[in-house]
Every structure is written in C-alpha cells, then in structure tokens.
C-alpha cells in the first residue's frame, strides 16, 4: 500500500514538474497563475530595465499566459513579440492580450527558442523569465538570441539559483550556477554580462549586451 502511494505521488510530482515546462489544460493554467504570483519580483525587475519607447522591438521567450507581456506593453507601448512552446499558453496569452494583439502591437507565436523564426538584428531587447531550464540546448538558445538582437541590444534573463531549484534537477530541469550563466553568455557571443541579485541566494537578473564585433 505504501509503495503504491509513493508511486502515485512520484507520478503526480512528475506531472506537475512537466507542466512548468509545457503548461497545458486546466492544470497548466493553474500552474501559470501560481508562477505569476511566485515570479512577481522577477517581473518587477524586468520592467525596471525597460523604458517607455514605442520604437522598441521586444521579444519575450516563454511568455506563458502572457502576464508579463501585458505589463511590458502597458509600460513601453513597444512592438512586442513572444514565442512559447505551448499551444495552450498561446491561446491563454492571446486572450489576455487580445486588445494589443488586435492592434498588431503584440504578436504571439509558438516555437522553440533554439530556432527563432526572425531575421538577424531584429530586436532591441529580448526577455526571459524562468525558461532557460527547459531549452533543449541552452548554448544554441543563447546564440539564437544573440543573432536576433541588434548591436547594443540586451537580453534580460531572470532565473532562480541552482541551489534553490536543486530538487527539480531530478525532473530534467537544466540548472545553472551564477558563473555558469556568465560563461554561457560569453560563449554565445555576448561580451558584456552583468548579474544583479533579486533575492539573495535565490534569484538573479542577468543582463547580456550584444556589442559590435
């Protein structure tokens, strides 16, 4: 009996962990609502690094239910694009941002950040909150971000520390130490990388700037 309960619990935990990677259905919606609450400090720090400028082009990777995109558009009035691997989240984010989508100011796509369907030097800013753990190839994803950024463009990457998320490594999450994130950026072509601590020992905002070769 105890063994059966443990097996059921393990399957349940695996299922919930998978929902954070690819939210789907009712459980996926609930998980995203939870993430909106948990990640609020990260969202605030992303917004602090944005200026109100309608000429900007911004790409958000892993937009989930579109909560941050709506906040970014409200502040910047920029042209905002988003890519996410979840069809369910595409629908949810489209509903949340229906007005700006209808106006053509927000454009949402489904796809893999390791194969971005954009021309070189397209964006002024790329943002991501807690999505790098799920990229098939973090180095390829970072190289793609570097490719689509304009010169002097910035990638704003928010993550939780490896120690904080250690448990989730059992479910295939790719976790990184602070120094690993710095080196990952440099290997991907970003010559200027800075780390800002959001919550000591728990979460970081890393700024990767693309400079001229």
């Amino acid at each position: 009996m105890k063994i059966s309960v443990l097996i059921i619990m393990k399957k349940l935990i695996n299922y919930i962990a998978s929902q954070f990677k690819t939210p789907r259905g009712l459980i996926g919606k609930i998980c995203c609502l939870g993430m909106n609450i948990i990640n609020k400090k990260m969202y605030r720090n992303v917004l602090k690094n944005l200026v109100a400028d309608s000429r900007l082009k911004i790409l958000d990777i892993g937009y989930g239910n579109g909560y941050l995109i709506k906040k970014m558009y409200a502040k910047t009035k920029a042209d905002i694009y988003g890519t996410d691997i979840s069809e369910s989240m595409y629908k949810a984010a489209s509903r949340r941002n229906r007005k700006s989508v209808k106006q053509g100011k927000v454009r949402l796509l489904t796809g893999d950040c390791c194969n971005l369907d954009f021309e070189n030097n397209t964006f002024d800013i790329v943002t991501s909150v807690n999505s790098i753990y799920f990229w098939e190839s973090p180095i390829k994803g970072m190289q793609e971000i570097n490719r689509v950024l304009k010169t002097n463009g910035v990638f704003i990457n928010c993550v939780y520390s490896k120690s904080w998320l250690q448990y989730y490594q059992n479910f295939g999450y790719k976790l990184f130490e602070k120094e690993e994130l710095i080196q990952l950026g440099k290997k991907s072509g970003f010559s200027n990388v800075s780390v800002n601590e959001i919550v000591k020992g728990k979460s970081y905002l890393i700024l990767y700037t693309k400079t001229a070769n």
Side-chain angles (χ1 to χ4, degrees):
M1 184 67 175
K2 287 183 178 180
I3 293 175
S4 297
V5 171
L6 287 173
I7 291 173
I8 292 170
M9 288 300 295
K10 185 175 181 180
K11 287 183 177 179
L12 179 60
I13 293 170
N14 274 320
Y15 177 68
I16 296 298
S18 75
Q19 285 282 356
F20 288 115
K21 178 181 180 180
T22 313
R24 56 207 179 274
L26 177 60
I27 299 300
K29 291 177 182 177
I30 293 170
C31 286
C32 272
L33 289 173
M35 285 189 281
N36 291 160
I37 296 168
I38 294 167
N39 296 336
K40 275 193 174 180
K41 287 185 179 179
M42 289 184 167
Y43 298 150
R44 284 200 295 268
N45 276 266
V46 170
L47 293 169
K48 283 179 184 177
N49 282 275
L50 302 180
V51 296
D53 188 343
S54 62
R55 297 169 299 177
L56 293 173
K57 292 187 76 171
I58 301 172
L59 171 64
D60 186 47
I61 293 174
Y63 52 73
N65 60 15
Y67 179 90
L68 179 59
I69 282 182
K70 188 167 186 175
K71 295 282 188 183
M72 290 196 296
Y73 179 69
K75 177 172 182 177
T76 66
K77 295 300 186 289
D79 289 317
I80 300 179
Y81 294 71
T83 185
D84 196 290
I85 62 173
S86 171
E87 182 68 30
S88 179
M89 290 300 100
Y90 166 77
K91 293 175 182 177
S94 296
R95 286 193 297 271
R96 183 182 291 272
N97 294 277
R98 62 171 63 87
K99 183 177 179 180
S100 48
V101 168
K102 188 175 181 180
Q103 293 171 340
K105 293 296 291 183
V106 169
R107 301 170 179 86
L108 302 175
L109 305 168
T110 56
D112 180 2
C113 77
C114 294
N115 296 282
L116 294 173
D117 192 21
F118 299 105
E119 297 293 327
N120 295 352
N121 309 307
T122 298
F123 296 102
D124 301 284
I125 299 168
V126 177
T127 62
S128 170
V129 175
N130 292 326
S131 74
I132 193 171
Y133 324 122
F134 311 117
W135 300 355
E136 183 177 349
S137 170
I139 186 73
K140 181 67 164 49
M142 292 286 287
Q143 288 170 341
E144 277 289 270
I145 290 167
N146 183 279
R147 178 183 68 79
V148 302
L149 273 172
K150 299 175 183 177
T151 299
N152 298 318
V154 177
F155 172 38
I156 304 171
N157 185 24
C158 284
V159 298
Y160 284 109
S161 67
K162 187 173 185 177
S163 59
W164 184 258
L165 289 182
Q166 191 67 47
Y167 176 75
Y168 288 93
Q169 200 159 14
N170 299 321
F171 305 102
Y173 288 41
K174 299 178 181 72
L175 306 179
F176 304 90
E177 300 287 0
K178 185 164 50 176
E179 186 57 37
E180 290 176 310
L181 290 165
I182 294 171
Q183 291 306 314
L184 184 61
K186 290 181 177 179
K187 288 177 182 177
S188 305
F190 292 97
S191 56
N192 188 352
V193 183
S194 61
V195 179
N196 301 302
E197 207 163 37
I198 299 173
V199 178
K200 187 173 178 60
K202 179 181 175 181
S203 55
Y204 305 99
L205 182 147
I206 305 98
L207 294 173
Y208 303 88
T209 303
K210 177 179 178 177
T211 54
N213 295 328

